[in-house]
Every structure is written in C-alpha cells, then in structure tokens.
Amino acid sequence: MALLAPYLPLPYPPHESDLAHVAEAPYSMGSTGLHWLGTDPQGRDVLSVLVFGARTAVLLTLPAAFLAALLGSLAGGAAGFWGNTRRLAVPYWLLALGGLWWGLRFPVPLVGAGVAALGVAAIVLALLRPRPIPTWPVPINAIVMGAATTLDSIPRLILVVAIAAGSGVSAPGLLALLTLTAWPHSARLVRAQMLRIRTLPFIEAAHAAGLSSCKIWLHHALPHAIQPLRTALPLSIAGLLGLESTLSFLGIGLPPDVASWGRLMSAIRNEPDAWWTLALPATCLIASILSLNALGRSRHKSL
Amino acid sequence: MKPHSSAFFLLCAAIGFCSQSCSAPEGKDLAIRVRCAYDPESLNPLQLPNQQAFDAANLLHVSLLQADFSKKEIAPALAEALPTAELVGDSLTRVSYRIRPAATWDTGGPVLATDVAFTLKLMFCPGVPNETSRLQFGFIQGLIPDPHDPRRFTLECRGQGTEYQQATGDFFILPEAALDPQGELRRFSLAALQRRPQNAPDSGLAAVARRYRALAPGKLPGCGPYQLTAWEKDRYLAFRRKANWWGSRLRPTPFVLQARSQKLAFVIIPDAATASLALQRGDLDIFPQMPAREFARLRKATAARPALSFYSVPSYDVVTAGFNTRRPALADALTRRALSHCFNAAGLLQATQMGEGQQTVGIISPLDRQNYNDSLAPVPFDLAKAEALVRQAGWQRRAGTETGWVRTRPGSKQPEVLQVSMRYRADETTFATIALQFKAAAASLGIAVSLLPTEAGSFTTALRTSDFDMYVRTLKGNPFMFNLAPLLHSRAIGQSNTTGYSGAASDRLLDAIAVAENPTRRAQLLRKFQTLMQAEMPWVPLFFLPTRIAASHELTGLHVTGLKPGFALTAVERSAKSTPTP
C-alpha cells in the first residue's frame, strides 16, 4: 500500500491544506470530499498523511536498514575473519593517514596531502622496483569493535537528535544518519558468527587449496556469517521506524511538508482534543512494529 | 519492619521537602511571570532586535514619551508634559521638552537635558551598535539646551513632520555620567557626528564605544522602574523593582510611570502547548499572543473554573510574507506579484485565527480608517492569474518536464530557475500553516518551494544576513507613528530593510511621509504608498492578528489593548484577594 500510495484514489493529496476544515474529526465533510479519518491542525487529510506517511517510513527505514546491515556485515565480517592480524604495506598506511588528515580538515591540510603524496610515490616506486616493503599491522577488530562500542555507549536517540538538530538534516541526510548509527548491531552479530565459521574445515580447506584470504572471506565465509541478519533485519527496520517517528514527533526529522506518522502524532500537542491525530498514526506504528517483530521471530524459527 | 518503615517515611519526607524547596524559588508568590516565545538576545536600547527585547528594555529605561495603555494615546513619561512644536521657516521644526524634576538616575543624580543630548550623540557614535536608532532618529539635527533650566531643551528637526511631536520622544534616555564620564561626546555637535564617516578615527569616541560595548547585557544603567536581576539565556529574565524608583514619588503617579509589581519575570517557553500547560498549572501568569485554537479551547475548558481571564482585541500586528528582492529570480515585481497570488489569505485567516483578524491591503491597519487605502482590494488567491504573471515575467516551463520554470535574462547565458526557499519561525504554527499552503499552491503551478522552519535566534540572523528567498513573520505597528523608513528605505538595506527593496519612488514617498505637514497630507501619502507597495510587492501583507491574552484571574490592571505588547506590564499586579490556582 505504501509503495502504491501515489496511485491510490485518495480524496486529498497529503500536502494540501483544506483551510476551511482544520482539525476536523473523522468522517467529516471537507471542501471537495469526505475526510474519512479527519484532518490535522493544518487542514491536511489524515488518511492521506497516514498512507503517504507509510510510504515515507518504508522509503526511509528500508534503505537505512539494508545499508546498515551491509555496512555492519562488511565491518563485522572483516573484524571476525582477520581479527588484528592483517598487515598493510607502509605506503598504503601513509596514503590512508594522509587522506584522513586532509579529509577531516585537521590543521594545515597540506600536511595530509603531503603524507598521501609520499605514500603514492612509495607505491609507484614499489611497483617499478619490486622488493620487500615493510608492513604495519591493521587492527581491524580493534577499530571495528572500538567504533561500535563508542557508538553504543552514547544513547542512540541522543546522538541522532544532537546531530539532526545541529545540522538540520534533509531526507538523504536522515537516511545516512540512521545508517551510520544502526550498523553496530549487525556488525556484532556477523563478527560473532564469523569467529565460528573461520575455524570450520571448509575454510581451512580453502586456505590449503591456495585461495587468497580475500576471496575466501567474500565467497565462502561471508555468505554463511550473514545468516543471523535474516532475523535481525526486520527488528532493525522496526527500531528505525520507531526512531524516525520519534525524530519527526520532536520536529527535527523530515522537512515539514513530508508526510510522517511521527509529525502527525505531534499535532496532538497543539490540538489536545484532536485524538485522531495521535490514535491513528500510533496504531499504524504499533501494528507495523509488531508485524516486523513477528516476521523476525518467524525467520528465527525457520533458521 | 518498623524501623525500616520509619526510615522510609523520613526519606520520603526529606525528598518531599527538597523537591518543594527546589520547585518554589524565593519570591514565586510575588513575581508576575509572562510567557516569552524566544530570548530577547540583546538589551542594547539603541538597537533592540525584537519585541521581547523591547518589552524588557521598557522596564529598565524610560523615554520622554510612552504609550498610555489606559487611554490608548501617547503620554509624557520622562517629559513633564507633551512637547510643544514650533515650525521654523519651511524646513525646520523645533520640539521643546522639559524633563520631570523628580526624574533621577539610580545614583541619585538628576536626569538632565545633557543626558538627552548624550543619548542622541551615542546614536551616531562610531563603534556603537546603533544602526536602527541612527535610521530612526536621523531627522533630529540638534539639541538646544535652555541656558536657564538644565532640564529644558529643544530638539531641532529637519523638515516639518506631523509626527515629530511623538517621534522625538520615542527613545530611551541613557546616563552621560555613567557612560561618558570624561565628556568625550561633548566635543562634537550632533550634526558633526551625523556627518562624520563611521571609520574616521578618534580615540575619545572609540573609548566611549568600548565602554558601551563592554557593559554586560542588562547592566546598562537606566532610569526605569526595574533592574535586571537574572538572565538565563533561553530560560528566563527576572526583574526587581528598584527600592527608590523616582516614579513612585509622583502623586498621582502617571499611568506610564506605574510599577506595581515588586517582581516580574519573562519565562521563555518556545512551545505554545507547553506554555499553555504552564499557565493552567499556575507556573505562568500571563500568556500573550496565545494561538487561536488553544485560546478558544482553554476559554471553553475553563468556563466552569474561573482560574483564567481571557482577552481578545484587534491589534496592529500584521502577518507578512516577505521576498528577498536581492535574489535575481525575485528582483522583478511581476514575479513577486505572481507569487503573492499563491497565498490564500482569507483561508489562512480562517484556519489559523478562526476567522478573527482582518485581511489587509498593506501594513496600515484597516482600523485606521484615515490612512488605510480602502480603494485597494486585498491580493486574491488566484492561481490562474499567478501563472499568467509568471509567464509575463519572462518565465517559461522547462522543456520536457511538467515542473520548473526557467528564464534567461538578456546578456546572461546561465538560465535562472524559479525555485524559492521560505523561512519561518519553527515554533509558530500559524507560520507553518501559511508556508504549507503556499508550497502546495506554488507546487500546483510547478514552482518548487523548500520550507525552512528555523529557530528564533537563527531566524533573526538569517534575516540580517539575507539568508532567505522568502520569509513569513509578524510586523508590529502602532496607530501613532508611520515612519516606515527603517523597513523599506534604501538607506536601511543591510540593516532593518530585510527585503532589500529599494526604489526612487518609494524612497521619496517614505521621506515625504516622515515630514508630512499635517495628518491629511500624511494620509494621502500613506494611501499612495500602499498602492505603490501593492504594485511592487516587496512583501505580501496577509492579515492583521487579534491580540489574544490569557492571564491568571488573580491579576488586575492588564489594560489589554492592540498596542504592542498587548497589555500594560508595569501596571499589572496581583489582587489582594487571590484565588487559589487549581
């Protein structure tokens, strides 16, 4: 229904205000038709806002959940597979550090550019004159788990609210924000699974057959390690749905003209008698979250 | 079990005592708490950024003349009587005042003509934040003190404006002794300071400016009835009446000099619903500018419990949508007029004010029958006309798409796109409704509008730095003075002329209105000005708001009126027979 919202025969578009019928109760006659579920304090048709709010929720939380799962899988899978044992040639280190310095705009960005250029020069030299290059360890596990623990130690709502309120995010910005704060859970699940899988005989056999570790990781280990995400993904979507609604309720999520259940619920603050602006979107939200939880449970049983 | 129970009850009692003492600060019973939607930001009397700042400064300072809310007219405050005006030749007016002998500074020193001269010079002192005052009082070219009476003086004004008698008394007087003890400004005449370039160096003037800027907010000495005791940004401002307030020695105390409450507090609560709850709980005493629906709901709900009083009168506050005329797409009047037809002012008045208030053709109130141009009609909501005007302005539908308008100006290779962003204060539901209606209407024409609800402080900054295409805000007026130069004159661009609009014809009219010799002539000019503004459309005046105030039933002396801020704050007091708040 959410995806078909633009094609549904709704009596009013979600962004249009019926100014003569503001905060009207359900089943009231409007300017050009019936407001089946009433209007909000700005005269918008609640039915249309609910349908398009569902669309907003789907279009925002589904990609965010998938992207967070992807990011978490890659990070957690790498951390679990290689731990802190991976090593990287010094020129690549220089390139990465220089790029980071420059990218994060540390003082005197030219220093970063210079270090990166040094790294590139060393890589070119190494390609021209093949000889052993010194390497430094890359503590993938420590970096990934450190980042995840840091993110987990800050209450997610506070973190998202602080960033969203400070920067005034747009819809793509909110998508990025939700993704970047939701990946640690997937990373922990995949890492835990990967720690078990990397000791299994078929992985050892692949190593013995001479396959590169990257190939083993991507083609053989990772597909098995991400199995728990089948259960976790619906729960992650449910969590993001709740978070998006909370942000919109607080007025710091999506732009005011984008239909959202959370924003509709917030209308009750200005119009305490308009119970339908709270009850109906809250029902939709609860039903969606319960359904997603049930889906997660059924996936878990099937595993 | 018993010892445990006793300990538990003792703990509960201790927590109860602590919470009681925490939630009931000293003087809670005395202070009259007024809701403020946002922080005043600055209390610099020479450049007050918003109405909240003006209301707060009004407690700390006194001007020569002030609005008497009981009679709805201008009355003498620091001045002993209304001034006398004398026309000199055909281009000069002399307005004479005498300061009340009882008027003193906190130090006990008298308020004298030298303080008035100092204040006027401070308005033109380089380095002092005084742009608004400089614009508003540039017509005063000198002060002639009376050699026999240090309290008597004459202000010499350029031109012969009918408003000069009122306009010359509309600024707060500041103490020379406290701000310029060396008398640095005495070396200059007012006219010399007005002519002086802002960047011309002078160590004496720099020292005065430095001393002025170094004063902590609210610590600028004033001769007003109250002193600022606390200012927590975005939380509250607290005021206490001065022990030796000179106004209280006057018998009878004039209405404009009354200061009845011992303590006053502005409580900053941006969210109207939260403020309404606070009012119902008794944590607030006065809620000015209450949203229409909440006002109606509360009035209905408390009908059986008379804890609150409700007042609604027409005001001089007009909701206006402004254009940033510096933006290339909005630089021409045709495009602005086209967009003005996308506002459904009648519908918005019904939706946001429940039909109370009045549609208008300009920023002069329809209540002012003499000056309001009733030969004009309010801009109608007409999308067909809007589209025709957009085409007339040279815009064309972008090829291959249903949305978007483009035009290429002669001599320019880059096509302009007709898309605008609209800023408004996020805490105002009226503005949000206007913005949503406008966006929907514009979208039906294929004009993209992005909405930018903005926090109050950032909104002021955005207006000052021209970081907007369109805005929605309330302009506050009064029925006494019509000096519109700070709002629309080309001299005020970059300062208080937020739209950036300028035109030789409008400048001439604004100058002429300021010096109109009589009310009839002024009315003619004002009507002409409204016609010009409707043609040029630098802003779209939508409707005048009513003043809606809900206040605790315990309060008396509110004197609710359409004049800003809507009630006489200094005349309010708690009645002796107070009704307990439920």
Side-chain angles (χ1 to χ4, degrees), chain A residues 162-177:
Chain A
I163 297 173
S167 58
V169 292
S170 56
L174 193 60
L175 177 67
L177 194 58

Side-chain angles (χ1 to χ4, degrees), chain A residues 15-17 19-20 22-23 41-42 44 255-257 269-273, chain B residues 271 273 293 297 344 347-348 351 424 429 432-433 436-437 439-440 451 453:
Chain A
H15 55 270
E16 252 183 45
S17 300
L19 296 174
V22 166
Q42 278 150 348
R44 287 176 294 189
D257 48 318
R269 285 156 56 197
N270 295 321
E271 197 68 46
D273 293 339
Chain B
D271 184 57
R293 301 191 74 80
R297 191 187 70 80
N344 182 358
L348 288 167
Y424 56 93
T429 48
T433 308
L436 285 168
Q437 184 276 318
K439 182 182 166 108
L451 303 184

Side-chain angles (χ1 to χ4, degrees), chain B residues 340-383:
Chain B
S340 74
H341 285 288
C342 295
F343 288 100
N344 182 358
L348 288 167
L349 183 61
Q350 181 60 40
T352 62
Q353 307 303 318
M354 301 175 83
E356 286 183 58
Q358 288 162 295
Q359 259 191 275
T360 179
V361 299
I363 61 164
I364 306 292
S365 167
L367 295 174
D368 186 349
R369 291 177 191 279
Q370 188 182 16
N371 297 315
Y372 182 76
N373 192 340
D374 47 11
S375 66
L376 298 172
V379 178
F381 176 52
D382 187 343
L383 294 180

Side-chain angles (χ1 to χ4, degrees), chain B residues 203-457:
Chain B
S203 58
L205 294 181
V208 173
R210 216 169 25 248
R211 192 175 297 112
Y212 186 85
R213 287 199 310 266
L215 282 166
K219 295 298 174 195
L220 191 65
C223 59
Y226 290 87
Q227 60 192 37
L228 184 72
T229 52
W231 182 359
E232 286 284 332
K233 187 163 167 51
D234 292 327
R235 287 184 59 209
Y236 66 88
L237 288 91
F239 299 87
R240 189 174 52 225
R241 194 171 66 191
K242 289 172 184 168
N244 298 313
W245 157 234
W246 60 268
S248 59
R249 294 199 290 270
L250 297 173
R251 289 289 178 271
T253 309
F255 184 84
V256 291
L257 294 178
Q258 286 181 357
R260 292 194 174 167
S261 179
Q262 282 285 347
K263 289 181 180 178
L264 293 171
F266 289 138
V267 186
I268 298 158
I269 309 176
D271 184 57
T274 312
S276 174
L277 272 178
L279 182 72
Q280 291 168 73
R281 284 163 45 106
D283 294 334
L284 261 186
D285 295 304
I286 306 174
F287 186 162
Q289 315 308 334
M290 184 176 257
R293 301 191 74 80
E294 182 63 6
F295 186 79
R297 191 187 70 80
L298 221 54
R299 185 150 59 174
K300 204 172 155 190
T302 53
R305 294 182 302 138
L308 299 173
S309 302
F310 298 90
Y311 309 88
S312 177
V313 294
S315 83
Y316 295 91
D317 302 348
V318 57
V319 177
T320 308
F323 296 101
N324 187 348
T325 61
R326 286 158 286 213
R327 295 276 194 266
L330 300 171
D332 63 296
L334 277 175
T335 305
R336 297 196 295 267
R337 275 168 53 199
L339 292 174
S340 74
H341 285 288
C342 295
F343 288 100
N344 182 358
L348 288 167
L349 183 61
Q350 181 60 40
T352 62
Q353 307 303 318
M354 301 175 83
E356 286 183 58
Q358 288 162 295
Q359 259 191 275
T360 179
V361 299
I363 61 164
I364 306 292
S365 167
L367 295 174
D368 186 349
R369 291 177 191 279
Q370 188 182 16
N371 297 315
Y372 182 76
N373 192 340
D374 47 11
S375 66
L376 298 172
V379 178
F381 176 52
D382 187 343
L383 294 180
K385 189 161 187 187
E387 185 166 358
L389 283 168
V390 167
R391 289 187 193 283
Q392 211 179 320
W395 297 97
Q396 292 174 329
R397 283 268 188 191
R398 207 186 301 207
T401 169
E402 278 301 299
T403 59
W405 295 82
V406 289
R407 74 175 171 194
T408 309
R409 286 180 179 256
S412 168
K413 286 179 186 170
Q414 196 67 26
E416 284 172 10
V417 182
L418 184 54
Q419 54 188 23
V420 291
S421 62
M422 179 180 264
R423 272 195 197 278
Y424 56 93
R425 268 186 24 229
D427 53 325
E428 270 285 352
T429 48
T430 297
F431 298 162
T433 308
I434 293 169
L436 285 168
Q437 184 276 318
F438 175 76
K439 182 182 166 108
S444 68
L445 293 179
I447 300 168
V449 178
S450 53
L451 303 184
L452 302 171
T454 309
E455 184 268 329

